[in-house]
Structures are given as structure tokens and as C-alpha cells.
Amino acid sequence: MSSTVSPLAPTEVPEMPAIAGVKLATAAAGIRYKGRSDVLLAVLDKGTTVAGVFTRSKCPSAPVEWCRAKLGRGTPVARALVVNSGNANAFTGKTGRQSTALTASIAAKAVGCTPNEVYLASTGVIGEPLDATKFDGVLGTLAGQVATGEWMGAARAIMTTDTFPKLATATVKLGKASVTINGMAKGAGMIAPDMATMLSFIFTDAPITAGALQSLLKSGVEDTFNAVTIDGDTSTSDTLLAFATGAAAAHGAPKISRAGDPRLKAFTKAFRVVLADLAEQVARDGEGARKLVEIIVEGATTKASARRIAMSVANSPLVKTAIAGEDANWGRVVMAVGKAGEPANRDKLSISFNGIRVAKSGARDPSYDETEVSNAMKSPKIQIKIALGLGKGRDRVLTCDLTKEYVAINGDYRS
């Protein structure tokens, strides 16, 4: 966790309302960091439904495997969530699996549930065993301290190289009731999600079945978390869990069993707004970032093709370092488009930086003005628009620039 906050951090932190059925507490368990909170316990009311999406890495962490197994058991419910920072419990073999089982057992005893109702997530160094005995006693104490308003503390406890806590909230009508959606996320490096995010947790009091919640989550990540990249590296630990306590049913909210239920339309929109807000905050907190970069590709043959081209540009070190240097180097963008392996016609290609067209029809724009573009590149947010002129496919991804600070952070990460 950095002591210097990213210059791209949001200027306002949302007021996080309480959610009936969700209580939080944090503590310092001494996992890796000294003098800071590194474990979060969320206690959930009985009947809370749960859904999740995870990394597609072929080397997933032990907590990812634990959660997948629990979600695969009939109709999953959750009573507790335990998250630790400082150690990812990934690439830890049999020891890692034993650590998850022990952590869940300790949490279950503290909360008064079964281990199958405990969900886990870990973030931090890969390859070092996690000493789960450090949770013994800590989780029991936390279970007696949980409260409804600990959102900021919870978001801070799960941070690693993040420079600011990431929170988002929305309130929307569902039937006769107002329901709330609260979310938190962590992530600043090793960011290229694939069906998930770094670590993110969404809570709501809406009465939604696990199946409907799973559908909402799976579709919701596609144009939010899965459209963000910091460095092109997908983590072993990417986890996004959503929990629905159902408490709003007592106030007139109808029970939802299908994601396509028309009564869920406003909720679905608000749910995706929360996901998108958190995803953008991750991009704003990219390790060493000084520029938020939005890449829009239009005129592609398909949306999927536009996404692959946008990701090729977003993950290009040459493009990202040019942006860090405030250089509108469209030649590097052309390179990234060309290497994506997607349909593209050089002589139809146009490129703009912050609304200023620098290349048109496969050549430098006739009205190109170096001074105008250079001034535009000083903005903290850079939009690169790429027009392919081939079809109606369009997509958008977020990334950041690549600075010397990124190298420094990752060169010293285990030190």
C-alpha cells in the first residue's frame, strides 16, 4: 500500500450506506505487513445468496479453487467472507489447500456456520505459504466487533500496492422497496482480468436467487472489469463475489429468480454502474499511473474484433510509454492495430487523440498541428479513438500509461 495517492484518484469518496444483513470488521493479523489491517471479515445473515466469477489462469490460487467448489454445491449460500492481503496463497500446493480449509474452519466457528458457507480470497505475494494459524483468535475477535458501517476500513484492509481504497454504491427501486448495492475492489498491478477482477466484492439487500445473481455477474463483468488492463498480466487470484442478503423482501422487494425478470431492469443497470465505477478506479490506480487512457475502436467487423484491437493497443508498452511522455505517437497505435491479428485496412484507418484527428485514411492528417496535439496530451485523461472503416463493431477499454514508477514498484515488490 503506497503512502502517495495516485493523482488520478477520485476527488470524492462515496458515502456508503448500511446494507441489512452485512456486517464488517478488520484487523491486523501480521500476514506480511506491519502496523496495518490485513484481514477482513464480513458476516452475512442466514439465507444470503452468493455468486462469483474468477480468473481463467491455469494456475489459480487455493482460495479461488475453494470458492469455485463451494459455488458448485447445489444452491450456494454464504454466511462469511474472509479476505487477507499480503499473501496470495497461490502456487502453494497441498499447504495452500490446507490453509484454506483451516481458515474456513476458524471462520465458521467464529460466525456459527459450516465451512461450506465461508468464502475466501487472498491477495499479495505468490508462492509463499500462508500461515492460517494467524487467523486463530483474530477471526473470533472480529466476529464480536462486526458493524454495518465499516466499508472504508474494509476497502483499506484488502489493499496491496493500491494507493487509495476503491468503493462504489447505488440505490435503486425494486418493487416497492429501495435496495442498495455496495461494492469494493482492490487492484493496481498484474491487471488483465479474464472473467473476473483482481479482488472485488459486491453486496446488496435485494432478494435475488443465486442463479439470477450469477447471470447478472457474468454478463456485468464483460464491459466493465474485463475491459480494463494495466499491464496485460492476468492474476492467479482474480475473484469477484456478489452477495444478496434478501433483507429488502421485508420492505416489499419481490424475490427475483431470473436475471431477465423485467422487474430487475433498473437494478441491473445500477449493478453495472457499480461494477463500471470500480473498474475505472482500478484503471486510475494503475501502478505508477499518471494518465487514465480510454481506447475506443469503432468501424470494426465485430464487437469482439474491436475488443481485441483495443486490448492490443492498451497492452502495448510502446503506446503506454509514449502516453507517459505526452507524445501523440500514432505510429505506435498503428503498430498495435496491425499486430492484433484482426481485420484492418491501413488505407481506411483514422486515429484521434483527445478529439484531435492525427491520422486519416492511412496517413498523417493534412491539418495536423503538433502544438495543438502536444497541449492535448498534457491532460490527465487521454482518449485514443481508432476508426477502422470496415463495419459496425465497436468497443471500449480502459488502461493507463507506463511510467518509471511501475518498474520501481515491481522491481522491489518482494523486498
Side-chain angles (χ1 to χ4, degrees), residues 14-20 22-26 40 42 44 147-158 165-169 180-184 201-204:
E15 289 289 334
M16 302 293 286
I19 291 183
V22 180
K23 294 180 179 179
L24 309 165
T26 64
L40 159 67
L44 308 160
T148 58
E150 297 299 310
W151 295 98
M152 179 59 74
R156 288 189 179 280
I158 66 175
K166 299 165 183 63
L167 293 163
T169 186
T180 300
I181 307 164
N182 283 357
M184 69 181 81
F201 310 103
I202 311 297
F203 302 87
T204 182

Side-chain angles (χ1 to χ4, degrees), residues 293-298 313 319 323 327-334 337 348-369 372-374 376-377 381-388:
V293 184
E294 178 187 41
I295 299 169
I296 297 172
V297 176
E298 56 189 20
V313 176
V319 172
I323 293 169
D327 178 11
N329 192 332
W330 68 85
R332 293 183 179 182
V333 176
V334 172
V337 171
K348 292 184 177 182
L349 184 63
S350 295
I351 299 167
S352 298
F353 285 86
N354 277 6
I356 302 170
R357 194 170 61 193
V358 297
K360 178 185 177 184
S361 302
R364 188 175 71 178
D365 191 282
S367 62
Y368 178 78
D369 183 328
E372 179 187 24
V373 178
S374 294
M377 294 300 292
K381 182 175 180 180
I382 304 297
Q383 182 193 82
I384 302 175
K385 183 175 285 189
I386 300 160
L388 297 171

Side-chain angles (χ1 to χ4, degrees), residues 15 63 240-241 247 254 297 373 395 407:
E15 289 289 334
L240 172 51
L241 293 169
V297 176
V373 178
D395 208 1
V407 178

Side-chain angles (χ1 to χ4, degrees), residues 40-41 57 64 66 71 124 138 146 148 171 185 205 233 239 246 261 263 309 322 344 389 393 401 410 415:
L40 159 67
L41 173 66
S57 168
V64 165
W66 174 272
L71 287 173
V138 172
V146 290
T148 58
T171 301
D205 54 353
D233 286 332
T239 298
D261 190 319
R263 295 173 296 181
I309 291 171
D401 56 345
N410 286 283
S415 302

Side-chain angles (χ1 to χ4, degrees), residues 286-347:
E287 290 172 341
R290 294 294 179 269
K291 306 278 189 183
L292 176 67
V293 184
E294 178 187 41
I295 299 169
I296 297 172
V297 176
E298 56 189 20
T301 54
T302 64
K303 175 180 170 65
S305 181
R307 169 67 60 87
R308 286 189 282 269
I309 291 171
M311 281 293 186
S312 179
V313 176
N315 284 324
S316 167
L318 289 174
V319 172
K320 291 159 73 71
T321 50
I323 293 169
E326 300 182 341
D327 178 11
N329 192 332
W330 68 85
R332 293 183 179 182
V333 176
V334 172
M335 172 279 300
V337 171
K339 74 171 185 176
E342 293 297 315
N345 184 326
R346 178 198 61 203
D347 296 331

Side-chain angles (χ1 to χ4, degrees), residues 35-80:
R36 58 153 285 191
S37 298
D38 58 4
V39 60
L40 159 67
L41 173 66
V43 177
L44 308 160
D45 278 2
K46 290 181 179 180
T48 296
T49 58
V50 57
V53 289
F54 307 92
T55 181
R56 284 183 178 171
S57 168
K58 301 302 181 183
C59 300
S61 69
V64 165
E65 291 184 323
W66 174 272
C67 290
R68 279 177 174 158
K70 304 312 156 194
L71 287 173
R73 299 170 64 94
T75 303
V77 292
R79 290 295 316 287

